[in-house]
Amino acid sequence: MYTHDGEDVFVIDNHVHLWDATEENITHEGGEQFIQCFYDYHTAFTPEEEQWDMETYRKYGKERMVEDLFRDGYVDMAIFQSTYLTEFYDDGFNTTDQNAELAEEYPERFILNGSFDPRDGEEGKAHLRRLKEEYDIPGVKLYTAEWRGDSKGWRLDSEEAFEFLQLCADLGIENINAHKGPTIRPLNKDAFDVGDIDDAATSFPELNFIVNHVGLPRLDDFCWIAAQEPNVYGGLAVAAPMAQNRPRKFGEIMGELLYWLGEDRILFGSDYALWEPDWLIPTVMEAELTPEQRDEYGIELTTEVKKKFMGENAAELYDIDIEEKKAQFEDDQISREFDLGGQYEGSAAD
């Protein structure tokens, strides 16, 4: 658990992956381009002394992930967001079933989201039903720019996608996480356009649409949609690292989000292993708006606001009782393994 100005900050990392981009798993040149582009993002935003070598980046493994998140990274809970990319990787880049191995080992610490692709038709619906039955997934992660045969993407407002969203509603899968924003080579930027969130969110008010990466570089489009749709949320993955070397830009992003969405609809995500939370969380917690930004947006980036997007807002979406979790973490498997129980002692409310 992170401490800022003497206050405990319960961190729920809304966006983590356990991927395999080894050369042995790559079946299409797009797989190599994809991981190389990820690595370009990694080196561009990560402090030099925190950067990984490429071989580690291709596959870091379960043990390192647990240590990076919970032992060293101040994370209390993490949410798996799968990315299948089965056209590029033989076993997929990080699938729900692969992530489930670690989530089931530490069920008190991980939340496992599933996925669907409407181009899979009835087979895809059967897959979604299995994920719900087998893992009781509370949400899905969607990659609308993923290639499938001759198709280089799909839209969330299509008739086929609506059938899957209705199935999510019927199954009680409430949290629809969509990658909307920056592209990754060789995928198409326009297939990550945030525009299709609009009709989907309007048509399914019982579902929550978490737009990861807040639509960047189409932040204005995202904000205008989110301002009118109360069930649309902003995920800070990829935006958060800008607090490191683009602090003014980060302040601008937070100013727009807080002005249009408010402090209750923003969720932190490290996008691990694109970036490690051990440097990212302190950087975000120390970030401030400039006087000009405070004056323009009429908001403050206070500790209370940061506590909300660092964990409290995700807890609300995923029905997590933070005080119960603090009590549980005084002596759970992770705390025993890394001697972390002391940070939770006495922190839970009576």
Side-chain angles (χ1 to χ4, degrees):
M1 190 159 56
Y2 192 72
T3 302
H4 181 73
D5 289 341
E7 291 194 45
D8 293 336
V9 181
F10 192 86
V11 177
I12 301 176
D13 190 334
N14 178 59
H15 201 128
V16 302
H17 315 276
L18 178 62
W19 67 58
D20 177 0
T22 55
E23 294 177 355
E24 294 77 17
N25 194 31
I26 293 174
T27 57
H28 182 286
E29 61 181 353
E32 181 62 23
Q33 293 173 14
F34 190 88
I35 191 61
Q36 291 287 348
C37 186
F38 258 33
Y39 194 63
D40 289 343
Y41 277 114
H42 170 74
T43 54
F45 285 95
T46 302
E48 188 172 352
E49 65 277 13
E50 298 274 359
Q51 294 178 13
W52 294 9
D53 64 80
M54 188 62 191
E55 288 310 303
T56 304
Y57 201 68
R58 287 182 184 276
K59 187 175 182 178
Y60 38 90
K62 294 189 291 185
E63 183 176 342
R64 170 149 193 173
M65 181 177 188
V66 169
E67 292 175 353
D68 287 345
L69 293 179
F70 304 117
R71 187 191 66 182
D72 305 328
Y74 311 107
V75 173
D76 299 291
M77 298 183 68
I79 302 175
F80 270 123
Q81 308 286 8
S82 56
T83 310
Y84 278 58
L85 295 176
T86 47
E87 291 285 310
F88 295 169
Y89 298 96
D90 190 25
D91 293 329
F93 187 61
N94 78 112
T95 70
T96 307
D97 290 309
Q98 292 162 352
N99 293 332
E101 293 182 19
L102 193 51
E104 290 187 324
E105 189 173 346
Y106 301 101
E108 71 282 4
R109 295 281 186 160
F110 283 109
I111 294 171
L112 179 68
N113 277 338
S115 186
F116 70 72
D117 188 323
R119 294 169 295 187
D120 293 334
E122 292 304 316
E123 185 178 342
K125 293 176 186 175
H127 172 73
L128 185 60
R129 291 190 186 94
R130 179 183 70 79
L131 295 181
K132 179 61 178 178
E133 181 177 350
E134 200 164 323
Y135 304 125
D136 194 22
I137 54 172
V140 290
K141 164 71 181 303
L142 306 176
Y143 226 62
T144 55
E146 182 165 352
W147 290 6
R148 184 65 49 85
D150 294 332
S151 170
K152 293 188 176 180
W154 54 276
R155 290 185 61 87
L156 202 58
D157 56 0
S158 66
E159 180 179 345
E160 295 78 12
F162 271 29
E163 292 180 11
F164 278 79
L165 291 174
Q166 184 59 57
L167 181 57
C168 284
D170 294 343
L171 294 173
I173 301 171
E174 296 180 345
N175 296 316
I176 312 301
N177 294 267
H179 176 122
K180 289 296 184 183
T183 195
I184 304 101
R185 193 168 65 243
L187 305 180
N188 294 346
K189 181 167 71 75
D190 286 349
F192 283 135
D193 190 324
V194 72
D196 56 351
I197 293 291
D198 189 359
D199 192 25
T202 303
S203 301
F204 294 91
E206 68 273 48
L207 301 178
N208 306 310
F209 291 83
I210 301 104
V211 175
N212 290 307
H213 322 304
V214 294
L216 293 171
R218 300 178 175 97
L219 179 64
D220 282 351
D221 286 354
F222 166 72
C223 286
W224 283 100
I225 292 170
Q228 71 178 21
E229 305 291 348
N231 57 335
V232 171
Y233 297 73
L236 291 177
V238 174
M242 292 190 184
Q244 161 69 18
N245 50 4
R246 296 286 308 280
R248 186 177 295 273
K249 181 66 176 179
F250 179 74
E252 176 189 333
I253 293 169
M254 293 307 302
E256 295 289 344
L257 294 176
L258 290 168
Y259 181 85
W260 291 107
L261 279 70
E263 60 194 40
D264 296 327
R265 289 197 283 148
I266 304 171
L267 284 73
F268 170 77
S270 69
D271 223 340
Y272 183 88
L274 272 154
W275 297 283
E276 285 194 73
D278 69 326
W279 65 265
L280 184 56
I281 289 173
T283 302
V284 171
M285 288 301 300
E286 294 295 333
E288 297 181 353
L289 303 183
T290 66
E292 292 78 12
Q293 288 170 337
R294 286 196 292 270
D295 181 59
E296 177 179 353
Y297 296 112
I299 50 97
E300 294 282 349
L301 199 53
T302 65
T303 298
E304 291 306 309
V305 169
K306 292 171 181 172
K307 288 172 69 174
K308 285 194 171 186
F309 67 68
M310 276 294 175
E312 293 173 2
N313 294 340
E316 186 73 21
L317 287 183
Y318 287 89
D319 197 24
I320 296 167
D321 187 321
I322 289 178
E323 298 308 314
E324 284 186 6
K325 281 293 180 183
K326 287 178 180 177
Q328 180 184 13
F329 292 167
E330 288 183 18
D331 189 38
D332 77 322
Q333 185 178 348
I334 290 286
S335 288
R336 290 194 298 274
E337 191 170 343
F338 301 127
D339 192 24
L340 300 176
Q343 65 182 266
Y344 298 105
E345 288 180 358
S347 60
D350 294 333

